[in-house]
Amino acid sequence: AQVVVAQSFEPSRASSIPSARTDSAMVFCCLFDSRPKDELTSVCCGTSAHSQAVEGLSEMVSAYRKIAQLTLPPGAAMVFAKLRRDMTDLEALISEATFPESRPWRSPLAQEQHEWDKIYPNGGILLRRQLCSASMGDQDWFLGGLFISDVGIAFDTGNSADEAGRLQTGFITWKDIVALHKSGPETEISICLASGSKNFSQLRLQLTISSDAEWIEEFWKLQA
């Protein structure tokens, strides 16, 4: 079956898929001027996440020093003392820093919730949105946006000059889904709808990673 790709989709903008930054270098971090120079914390980072954490801590220390050079009210001394303790504690923790697992979905912005409410007034709280492919039964696959809320889901390819290139399911409540299970590849799920709830009885979704399919399946079970 062919895959139909729309130029854009609403009610939100296209998902941005995070990519890992890869850089490794010897990073030197000195928390406080009182520490002898020969005691500089030297971190040869094994992961780019560790490197980023050390870099961020170094920037915090640099900002700390800039403010510490100024004349401030007496109460600032207590704040600075706490900052020094917190940064020391943080320095001991960053060795365990890792990048979050790559995810093709993203949490909706506040404005996107507002747009969601306008289109689906009873659509609940928007939890996730992501790009995926969808098909009604054995029909062609369409690339568009999958919107997941605490009340239901919706798939929308967005505007297209060619009506044949559009697929809009409208809002599907969790309670209208009578069966949901993986089908075919690990990233594909098949959704069966209650009779009369829509003008179609089956919706297939092709997601990016298997954990997304598992998450949707488990969330549906909680609503059943």
Side-chain angles (χ1 to χ4, degrees), residues 146-213:
L146 175 65
F147 304 89
I148 305 174
S149 81
D150 60 333
V151 181
I153 64 173
F155 178 86
D156 193 340
T157 55
N159 298 325
S160 174
D162 183 8
E163 284 294 323
R166 298 182 64 182
L167 176 60
Q168 297 172 313
T169 63
F171 188 65
I172 302 171
T173 65
W174 293 113
K175 67 179 182 180
D176 285 334
I177 299 176
V178 296
L180 189 154
H181 57 84
K182 290 185 179 180
S183 59
E186 291 185 353
T187 56
E188 184 179 319
I189 58 176
S190 178
I191 298 173
C192 297
L193 305 180
S195 177
S197 59
K198 291 289 180 181
N199 59 357
F200 57 94
S201 60
Q202 183 186 33
L203 178 67
R204 295 162 62 199
L205 299 174
Q206 184 69 56
L207 303 159
T208 306
I209 54 178
S210 59
S211 60
D212 279 354

Side-chain angles (χ1 to χ4, degrees), residues 105-150:
W105 61 271
R106 51 157 291 182
S107 299
L109 303 174
Q111 178 59 29
E112 292 167 342
Q113 177 65 51
H114 178 65
E115 294 169 353
W116 174 260
D117 290 338
K118 288 195 299 184
I119 298 173
Y120 303 117
N122 299 316
I125 303 300
L126 194 57
L127 303 176
R128 291 186 175 195
R129 70 173 183 84
Q130 67 182 88
L131 287 172
C132 79
S133 297
S135 172
M136 292 181 178
D138 296 326
Q139 298 180 19
D140 292 337
W141 288 92
F142 293 79
L143 181 65
L146 175 65
F147 304 89
I148 305 174
S149 81
D150 60 333

